[in-house]
């Protein structure tokens, strides 16, 4: 099974930092674009940051300058470094990846989510 597993969430004070990790596994041809989404209580799920297989990044305006997305293709891992965290960043963060299967189908997979709570 193709799977994404997130880790690194937790409780942090405003102004603090966390690094989220998302490790992909399974027999695939390749991972394509990968991204982080978040869903706060009573809110819609929103894109936080994305990164293409070639390293091109995109960020939501609300996190630009504070968050950095990166990936290690050799490890099938995408990271989200979150600095200067605000209470508004509190959400369940989900990793998402597009991938090409061994039969060359283009598919997507979601991680299970990791909770980030920013509170004093």
């Amino acid at each position: 099974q193709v799977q994404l597993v997130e880790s690194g969430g937790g409780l942090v004070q405003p102004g603090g930092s966390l690094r989220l990790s998302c490790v992909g596994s399974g027999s695939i041809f390749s991972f394509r674009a990968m991204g982080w989404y978040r869903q706060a209580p009573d809110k819609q799920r929103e894109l936080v940051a994305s990164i293409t297989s070639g390293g091109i990044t995109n960020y939501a305006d609300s996190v630009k300058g504070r968050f950095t997305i990166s990936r290690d293709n050799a490890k099938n891992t995408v990271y989200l470094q979150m600095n200067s965290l605000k209470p508004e960043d509190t959400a369940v963060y989900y990793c998402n990846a597009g991938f090409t299967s061994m039969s060359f189908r283009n598919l997507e997979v979601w991680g299970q989510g990791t909770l980030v709570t920013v509170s004093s």
Side-chain angles (χ1 to χ4, degrees):
Q1 289 286 104
V2 179
Q3 190 175 22
L4 300 177
V5 179
E6 301 105 328
S7 63
L11 175 64
V12 65
Q13 294 183 350
S17 298
L18 285 173
R19 190 181 76 156
L20 306 183
S21 298
C22 172
V23 181
S25 63
S27 182
I28 63 168
F29 184 79
S30 65
F31 281 108
R32 296 179 285 108
M34 304 182 79
W36 289 95
Y37 291 73
R38 67 185 181 188
Q39 188 165 20
D42 301 319
K43 301 289 186 179
Q44 299 285 333
R45 187 173 299 187
E46 63 176 346
L47 176 67
V48 177
S50 64
I51 184 167
T52 70
S53 60
I56 300 173
T57 59
N58 184 61
Y59 298 92
D61 288 341
S62 59
V63 307
K64 203 173 188 68
R66 299 188 296 120
F67 291 9
T68 303
I69 189 171
S70 61
R71 66 190 290 167
D72 185 337
N73 289 332
K75 298 179 180 179
N76 292 326
T77 301
V78 63
Y79 305 94
L80 186 67
Q81 178 66 47
M82 304 185 294
N83 299 325
S84 302
L85 283 161
K86 304 174 180 179
E88 307 92 90
D89 296 318
T90 296
V92 177
Y93 284 71
Y94 297 91
C95 182
N96 171 267
F99 69 94
T100 302
S101 71
M102 296 301 293
S103 60
F104 283 84
R105 297 184 67 197
N106 289 330
L107 303 171
E108 285 189 327
V109 62
W110 289 87
Q112 82 288 347
T114 185
L115 177 62
V116 172
T117 302
V118 184
S119 180
S120 58

